Structures are given as C-alpha cells and as structure tokens.
Amino acid sequence: MKMAAPTASKAASLGCNNKPAFPELDFRSGARVEELNKLIQEFTKHDQREYDDQRALEIHTAKDFIFSMLGMVQKLDQKLPVANEYLLLSGGVREGVVDLDLDELNVYARGTDYDMDFTLLVPALKLHDRNQPVTLDMRHSALCHSWLSLRLFDEGTISKWKDCCTIVDHINGATNYFFSPTKVADWFYDSISIVLSEIQKKPQRGMPKVEKVEKNGTIISIILGVGSSRMLYDIVPVVSFKGWPAVAQSWLMENHFWDGKITEEEVISGFYLVPACSYKGKKDNEWRLSFARSEVQLKKCISSSLMQAYQACKAIIIKLLSRPKAISPYHLRSMMLWACDRLPANYLAQEDYAAHFLLGLIDDLQHCLVNKMCPNYFIPQCNMLEHLSEETVMLHARKLSSVRSDPAEHLRTAIEHVKAANRLTLELQRRGSTTSIPSPQSDGGDPNQPDDRLAKKLQQLVTENPGKSISVFINPDDVTRPHFRIDDKFF
C-alpha cells in the first residue's frame, strides 16, 4: 500500500522544515539552552559589581597604602630591589589567579571577610638582563618546578640574601646558596609586620584600618578596611625574569589561538618563580614556574561569552570540589586555554553560546579527572593531576556528574551565593555609612567629599578595565607617585 506524502502542516509538526520544532536542549540534562544562557547572564550581572566614585577612591587608597608599606619594607634592610615592578591581579590566590595551590590557605569568604580581593606579586629578586632563554636548575625538581642558585647573581645580592638560603656544600669545597621560598616568606612576613606596627603607632587621618594580617603558607594575606570597603590583598614574594624559560621553548613552536592577535613579544615578556613546591618536592628549596604575566596577555584574546562561562563554572566547582583538595580554579583556566587552541575562533566568539561553553568546560574537567590528566598549558609535559589517587579523582568525577545532570540548579545556587555575598557587603556599608572613614584626599572640609577629579578618573579605570591586571612601577624613595599600567595604557 502506497503511503501519501505528509502535508506541509504535518511536515512542519514532524520537524521537516528548516526551523527546529523544539527549543534547543542539552541532551544530557534536558535543560533548555536559552534558560542556561539567561542564568549565566544573571550570575555575571551579580558577580561583576560596578563601583561608584567613593568605592573607586577607597580601592585607590588601599592600593596606595600597600605600595607605601612595601616601600618601607625595602628601606628596612634594602633586600628588595630599589626600583621594583609589581604585578597586581584582580582576584585572590584562592580564586586561582596564579598557580599557587597551597595546603595552608585559610578560608576567607567574600561578603563575610572581604568585598574585593587582589593578588600582588612582589619580586624579591629580578633577573632582567638576559635575552637568551633562561636555563634553570631543574635537576632536583618535578616538572614546572626549579631550585634557584644565587650563583646567578652578584656577590652583593648573595651577601644580602644569604640568611634566606639553604646551603649545600660540594665535594670540591664550594658552597652553593639556594634561594629558599619558605625562608623568604618568613622574612617577608616579619618585615611587613614590623612596618605595619610602625605605621599603626602614628595613624594618619583617612589611613586604612588593618583588619587582618596572616601568613598562609608562603603568602601574606592582608585585609584592609577603607571607608565601607574591605579589601583582601594576597601578597606573594616571587623571583622575576625577563625572557622565557628554556623548558617551555617548544611551546612557542606550536600554533595557538592568540597567533596574530597579540605579538609573541607580549606573550613571552617574562615569567616568575612563585613560592610553591611539588607534592614530592623539598619545600625549603623548590619554586614553581608561573606564567601569570603571559596569562594577562592571553586573557585579552578570550571572548566575553567564554569568560562568562568560565567564571560561572568556577563558582560552581570551587566549593563542590574543595574536599578532598584536588582541583583548583587554575586547572579550569588551563583547560579553557587548551579549548581555545582546540576550537575554531569563530565558534568561541559566538555571543549566545555561553551555555555550550559552560557544559563543555564541565565535560572537559570530568574527562581530565577520569583520565587523571591535565597538562600545563605552557609546559604540556607537566601533568598537573598526576599526583592524585584513583579514589579522589573518581569521587570528584561523580560530583561533576551530578552538576552535568542538572546544570540549571547548580547555576541558581551559585547566583544565590553571590547575591548573599553582595547583600552582606551592602549591609556592612549601610552600617558604616554613619561612621564613614574620611577620605585621605579630603582637604579638611567635608570629610565625606572626595576629590572629584581623582574619583572620576578612578571610576573610569575601574569600569573600562573589569578584571584586568595591572603592572605597577614603584620608586620606594617616592611612594607618593605610583605609576601603573593596564595592558598598554599608563596612568
């Protein structure tokens, strides 16, 4: 029996026309992609707070206080370089802005403990006079880690830092001093404590209130209260290099998503050693290679929709996968960079694909866990999950499976958390408004009226550069004039 061809209306109902008969769905969870996109947009709206003039001025006041404090630390014993270059990153160490997965980090929460967080990389030593690839002493270390011999430096530097080194005597009678991350961190914490104690003996009008100073492993966490704002600074002592490490030289030979968008010179302008050892390394001697300077440049080439998906994914997993400790936000960032290399640029540039990107990042993370494999983006031969046990990776993979089964519900939970943090901040601001700390820029007239020109300029910087990182050039002999750069602009 011959069947009649379906009529046009029947064909449309069967999905035979060009338009989809159903809203786009996620196959695994059944969630509507349109709803997931709206939830990601809502999360972004609440997560990225806009600052008014007063808040911008408070951020500037806290920054100046930190820079002045570091200038005084340099003058204590002249250990820090006289003309130093800091890298200021938006977001604290706990947010994964640097590859510093420390066991000793205290738990701070936005809204409860602070309103904004920053990471400041402060070079204790600089090697900035080399054009060739930098060769490090990696004989004693796991991949992505190195010891640092002071033989690379002059006698004056060795003499200055000798007390922050471990000493190794060789058979031929020579003595080698290895720069110790733990001893440097101890010295840095002691020096900051001395300076803050001196500053607080002579408080000045409008000076930030130091609410907390704690040593968390090898970083120093300071929470400042300025007006109605509380700012967390994670200060990290580092070793700064110009150029590029020899161990990552082969990475430059590959094709990357940033090719043609930024120059190779921008990407390989420098790297750091940060005070973190590998899981089997010697804590007193081993540093970790950090490419934070390069990551600031690469971030400029990542689409806003992918960044929104990354931030939402990070908010979901940061608490869910916190115990036992295995995955940090830095792992997720590495996966995002690999995805940028793997996928077509015009696909990643789609503005309404944030939901696809979020689901893809969750899938990627689960894949990495199940296979216990997450290559470092700059040194791919370094597997950042190699040390994990089978029990840990499977536990976290199962947790991620629950997220993948209902991403909308987990997004709603993340939105509620960020809303609650914002409510706490606003409540503390309201309480503090009656006893507002006068602005240090005020001329002695109305203490609540900041300098309009400065406030407007700061507001412009903040709104034009959300989440961007700032390089700061400081002369400790003139801490009244910090010069800072956001990408290629100087202020």
Side-chain angles (χ1 to χ4, degrees):
M1 182 177 173
K2 202 170 184 180
M3 294 189 69
T7 62
S9 60
K10 281 183 180 176
S13 68
L14 292 170
C16 297
N17 60 349
N18 290 332
K19 284 189 174 182
F22 302 102
E24 190 179 2
L25 302 177
D26 169 38
F27 186 91
R28 174 70 190 90
S29 65
R32 292 178 59 158
V33 169
E34 184 183 5
E35 183 192 8
L36 293 178
N37 273 327
K38 285 179 179 175
L39 288 170
I40 293 169
Q41 287 169 9
E42 186 179 356
F43 172 81
T44 302
K45 181 182 76 176
H46 293 294
D47 189 49
Q48 294 180 350
R49 289 96 53 221
E50 289 197 3
Y51 306 136
D52 58 18
D53 287 355
Q54 183 63 34
R55 177 59 67 88
L57 188 59
E58 289 165 354
I59 293 170
H60 180 80
T61 302
K63 174 179 68 66
D64 272 3
F65 178 84
I66 292 291
F67 295 161
S68 297
M69 177 198 75
L70 290 171
M72 293 172 72
V73 167
Q74 194 278 336
K75 289 181 178 179
L76 271 183
D77 53 14
Q78 307 293 312
K79 272 187 161 72
L80 293 181
V82 173
N84 217 348
E85 181 182 343
Y86 308 148
L87 184 66
L88 179 62
L89 302 164
S90 178
V93 165
R94 294 154 193 79
E95 291 290 309
V97 295
V98 284
D99 187 10
L100 251 175
D101 196 15
L102 302 175
D103 296 328
E104 305 93 333
L105 277 179
N106 290 342
V107 178
Y108 301 144
R110 185 160 74 81
T112 305
D113 300 301
Y114 64 91
D115 307 316
M116 287 155 288
D117 53 340
F118 302 93
T119 298
L120 187 64
L121 304 188
V122 179
L125 287 175
K126 297 194 303 181
L127 265 179
H128 283 191
D129 57 348
R130 297 185 168 205
N131 294 319
Q132 71 269 32
V134 181
T135 302
L136 297 166
D137 187 353
M138 308 179 86
R139 294 170 298 170
H140 317 284
S141 308
L143 270 168
C144 285
H145 295 80
S146 179
W147 290 22
L148 181 66
S149 170
L150 288 193
R151 282 180 177 174
L152 296 171
F153 299 86
D154 57 68
E155 284 299 324
T157 302
I158 294 173
S159 175
K160 204 183 292 183
W161 284 105
K162 201 179 286 187
D163 57 340
C164 289
C165 292
T166 57
I167 300 170
V168 177
D169 291 319
H170 291 285
I171 299 170
N172 62 7
T175 299
N176 204 348
Y177 296 95
F178 287 100
F179 205 43
S180 169
T182 52
K183 291 185 178 184
V184 170
D186 289 341
W187 164 83
F188 204 28
Y189 175 69
D190 291 341
S191 299
I192 285 175
S193 300
I194 290 167
V195 165
L196 289 178
S197 176
E198 288 299 312
I199 290 173
Q200 288 167 327
K201 285 178 185 175
K202 300 174 184 176
Q204 296 178 5
R205 188 167 179 267
M207 189 176 77
K209 179 187 176 187
V210 181
E211 298 190 354
K212 192 174 287 186
V213 183
E214 291 185 340
K215 185 168 174 287
N216 290 284
T218 51
I219 70 167
I220 292 89
S221 298
I222 300 176
I223 297 180
L224 299 176
V226 189
S228 57
S229 303
R230 296 159 304 156
M231 277 155 261
L232 166 64
Y233 270 84
D234 283 330
I235 302 177
V236 187
V238 299
V239 181
S240 172
F241 294 85
K242 288 287 190 209
W244 199 244
V247 68
Q249 200 69 21
S250 60
W251 178 79
L252 295 174
M253 305 297 110
E254 306 293 331
N255 293 323
H256 297 290
F257 72 98
W258 48 267
D259 291 336
K261 296 176 183 175
I262 52 177
T263 65
E264 186 174 287
E265 287 72 25
E266 289 175 286
V267 175
I268 65 169
S269 63
F271 68 101
Y272 298 100
L273 294 182
V274 295
C277 77
S278 61
Y279 287 86
K280 291 183 179 177
K282 190 174 178 183
K283 282 189 175 184
D284 287 346
N285 282 14
E286 197 170 85
W287 299 77
R288 179 178 294 163
L289 275 77
S290 169
F291 300 91
R293 186 187 291 272
S294 303
E295 288 159 6
V296 169
Q297 299 299 325
L298 299 185
K299 190 178 174 184
K300 294 190 284 187
C301 306
I302 298 175
S303 70
S304 59
S305 50
L306 179 55
M307 281 305 300
Q308 287 174 8
Y310 164 75
Q311 295 293 351
C313 188
K314 184 172 75 169
I316 290 170
I317 70 160
I318 203 165
K319 286 188 174 67
L320 185 74
L321 306 185
S322 61
R323 293 288 182 271
K325 199 165 189 178
I327 293 293
S328 78
Y330 191 82
H331 291 107
L332 187 65
R333 181 190 291 200
S334 301
M335 293 168 203
M336 177 176 66
L337 292 172
W338 281 119
C340 289
D341 273 357
R342 185 176 71 241
L343 296 164
N346 56 356
Y347 167 74
L348 293 174
Q350 297 297 313
E351 290 184 3
D352 56 349
Y353 273 33
H356 297 286
F357 302 153
L358 171 69
L359 299 172
L361 286 170
I362 296 169
D363 288 342
D364 256 11
L365 188 51
Q366 196 166 19
H367 174 84
C368 288
L369 280 166
V370 169
N371 290 282
K372 219 164 76 169
M373 173 62 73
C374 179
N376 181 284
Y377 182 66
F378 299 93
I379 306 177
Q381 60 269 36
C382 171
N383 175 13
M384 297 189 293
L385 299 183
E386 189 176 28
H387 62 281
L388 296 180
S389 69
E390 296 294 333
E391 293 80 10
T392 297
V393 294
M394 291 312 297
L395 173 65
H396 285 318
R398 283 195 291 271
K399 288 180 182 177
L400 276 179
S401 180
S402 72
V403 176
R404 194 62 185 81
S405 298
D406 196 353
E409 184 57 33
H410 284 83
L411 275 171
R412 290 188 196 100
T413 301
I415 290 167
E416 286 309 310
H417 282 161
V418 75
K419 277 183 173 179
N422 290 341
R423 280 195 299 270
L424 271 171
T425 295
L426 289 171
E427 178 59 31
L428 284 163
Q429 283 179 333
R430 276 195 293 270
R431 285 185 208 163
S433 63
T434 54
T435 56
S436 176
I437 296 176
S439 161
Q441 308 297 331
S442 61
D443 58 7
D446 183 348
N448 293 314
Q449 290 299 318
D451 181 326
D452 284 343
R453 287 173 304 168
L454 176 60
K456 283 176 182 173
K457 182 177 179 182
L458 291 168
Q459 170 67 7
Q460 183 183 355
L461 291 185
V462 172
T463 53
E464 286 181 357
N465 302 281
K468 289 191 179 177
S469 301
I470 304 169
S471 289
V472 184
F473 301 85
I474 293 296
N475 178 356
D477 295 319
D478 182 12
V479 294
T480 62
R481 299 182 61 221
H483 304 283
F484 52 103
R485 180 185 71 206
I486 302 176
D487 292 337
D488 299 321
K489 293 185 288 185
F490 286 83
F491 302 93

